[in-house]
Amino acid sequence: MSLTPSTMLPLGTKAPNFKLYDVISQNSLSLEQLRGENGTMIMFICNHCPFVKHVNDEIVRVANDYRVHGFSFIAIMSNDTVAYPEDDPKLMVENAIKYNYSFPYLYDETQQVAKEYDAACTPDFFLFDQDLELIYRGQLDDSRPGNGISLNGRSIREALDAIINNRKVSMLQKPSVGCSIKWKK
């Protein structure tokens, strides 16, 4: 497993708009259509990465726990599907069903959205406030495959709870680590 850290896009960055194909609903959906009333979590994930496989159940729990508070969750897969056929859109649907994704799973075929968000790894998490300004980027929690730390989504849950409780999100944010985005040649 490679260990690629997220780039830590500057806080305050405005969320780049996009319109991507959702493999679940089979519709093209835009950020404007999907944004949450209180915030929007954008997650760059894929099917094959062991780091994503490790956190899949917890990201579903976090999404289910917080969407009732006006947050939306959006998963985006940007990998080269020729080089990594496990990430093919047909298999993205199977993965979404397997893990009961309660959020759209978008296919970034051109990889343009990943580039605009400066996504570097899977998983890579970006939390935007109600004005679509970046307030958190980084890890889900301290758990990694094989490190013995239980998944709990603590880092992201603390950021979401800060918004709910009208507090500032902590500036102490750890980068996510995982497999690199598989860029097309």
Side-chain angles (χ1 to χ4, degrees):
M1 292 185 292
S2 68
L3 212 64
T4 300
S6 52
T7 59
M8 303 301 277
L9 191 66
L11 295 173
T13 298
K14 191 80 169 171
N17 200 14
F18 57 77
K19 188 169 191 171
L20 295 171
Y21 179 74
D22 175 25
V23 300
I24 300 167
S25 69
Q26 299 183 350
N27 292 307
S28 289
L29 301 172
S30 69
L31 174 60
E32 196 55 43
Q33 289 172 287
L34 297 172
R35 68 188 288 182
E37 180 182 336
N38 292 321
T40 304
M41 174 68 71
I42 296 180
M43 310 172 286
F44 287 87
I45 65 172
C46 67
N47 295 344
H48 86 274
C49 172
F51 292 90
V52 175
K53 288 178 179 180
H54 179 71
V55 300
N56 256 323
D57 288 329
E58 185 60 24
I59 63 174
V60 170
R61 278 191 291 274
V62 170
N64 290 339
D65 289 348
Y66 287 89
R67 67 180 176 189
V68 297
H69 295 285
F71 294 98
S72 72
F73 291 77
I74 303 164
I76 300 174
M77 200 297 296
S78 301
N79 283 346
D80 177 356
T81 59
V82 173
Y84 291 84
E86 287 178 73
D87 293 333
D88 183 82
K90 289 183 183 98
L91 297 176
M92 289 171 63
V93 174
E94 291 178 18
N95 206 58
I97 292 167
K98 175 182 177 181
Y99 290 102
N100 294 311
Y101 286 177
S102 57
F103 42 79
Y105 195 10
L106 308 179
Y107 179 39
D108 179 18
E109 184 175 10
T110 67
Q111 300 185 313
Q112 187 61 39
V113 175
K115 289 174 184 170
E116 289 175 0
Y117 279 79
D118 206 14
C121 60
T122 56
D124 212 350
F125 300 95
F126 300 84
L127 175 59
F128 296 88
D129 66 13
Q130 68 276 7
D131 298 320
L132 293 176
E133 291 183 6
L134 186 65
I135 55 173
Y136 178 87
R137 75 286 195 243
Q139 70 175 8
L140 176 70
D141 58 30
D142 290 323
S143 183
R144 306 286 183 268
N147 76 355
I149 297 173
S150 297
L151 282 163
N152 57 21
R154 181 177 178 182
S155 298
I156 286 178
R157 288 176 183 275
E158 286 177 355
L160 293 163
D161 287 341
I163 295 170
I164 291 168
N165 295 306
N166 294 316
R167 294 189 326 257
K168 283 206 173 272
V169 175
S170 173
M171 298 295 283
L172 297 173
Q173 301 177 9
K174 295 179 187 177
S176 187
V177 293
C179 299
S180 63
I181 299 277
K182 307 307 182 198
W183 301 106
K184 295 178 182 182
K185 293 187 178 10

